[in-house]
Amino acid sequence: MAIFSVYAVNKSGGFIYQYDNYVHRAEAEKTFRYPLDCVLKIHDEKVVVSFGQRDGIRVGNALLSINGLDVNGKFTADGKEIIEYLKDSTNYPLSILFGRARLSSNEKLMPASMFHSLFAIGSQLSPEVGSTGIEMLETDMFKRHCFQTLTGIKLIVLTDPRQSGIDELLRKIYEIYSDFALKNPFYSLAMPISHRVQGLHQGSLVAPIHVAITLVPSPLMWMRASLEP
Amino acid sequence: MSRQSNRTTDSKKMNAELFTLTYGALVTQLCKDYENDEEVNKQLDKMGYNIGVRLIEDFLARSSVGRCQDFRETADVIAKVAFKMYLGITPSVTNWSPAGDEFSLILESNPLVDFVELPDNHSSLVYSNLLCGVLRGALEMVQMAVAVKFSQDTLRGDNVTEIRMKFIKRMEENLPAGDE
């Protein structure tokens, strides 16, 4: 499905919920011999490729695992520093998995709140009077749709640029939110939905959201249909 | 919406009975606990408020009404859409004040008070005060401060049940970005 993720932000910009639909994440695993021809550097506590793009490994991709064992930030699974480990020729040949770094929940929190501020600025900068803020942000890799309810909750969906039917999806997600979060009396409004909250697990919302996402028509179906004679 | 299509009129009737019984049990327990009608009224209002702040999201998600431009539109939406959706009744909107900031909802029937009779020692109990809290809480979440009270009640001998709603102010400070 071409829906990448779903975010919910509350009225004051605080983070409520986040769901990632892990579609085809660009990952590349290769076996390397000494010396390593990619130049690596440490960025944000992760080891990323700074130069040496080839074969599906792009600049900016993070080192995800060595020989099948997931790395832990700058360290391998057994606690050795990765950069030092890779300089040692006796450890080769080894297979390394590179890919887009998976964000921790704190890292997801920041862009969500930042979007809230952008949204507020956007509505003020608009030349039209009574503008309701940013509805859609389009780039060549994804589209970011935002739906603000009358109570100030923002529902944000990141999708493939060719994806349509998102308004329906946003309404459906609003319904799911109003059902699961609100009908649970132990959930305090505007608080983040996470495993720390009593009574409501992040996982409870995953199933209905997944169903809603699968109901959105795929753009690829249309393209195939239009190509057939 | 799959949930609405599964509901038949039969199961709706059954739910209403259970609803009335549940509400009745709630009010009687509150009376036993607090032993003071004014206190019970206050608690019912508080509980209604907590229901209202959550109910508004459900209402907005299911009914897709946009923002109301003035108090008259609000009154119409409350009477014709909200009450119908949640209690299955359609009160009438009357008695507008000259300034247009107060109106009455006249309820012919009230599902909360089916078969209820108030005993003499609870003469100042506002049995359906939960509804006042619900309306107050729901409107507060869409940035409208209102005062709601029962001005007539069939349980206390009047002919109809009348809810009086007064608009206090628009809460500008909580407005989400972009709504004027």
Side-chain angles (χ1 to χ4, degrees), chain A residues 123-144:
Chain A
S123 66
Q124 284 171 18
L125 284 177
S126 162
E128 289 285 319
V129 175
S131 149
T132 49
I134 299 177
E135 272 186 11
M136 204 230 317
L137 195 111
E138 183 169 356
T139 75
D140 56 351
M141 298 304 298
F142 68 89
K143 261 191 193 169
R144 187 191 193 104

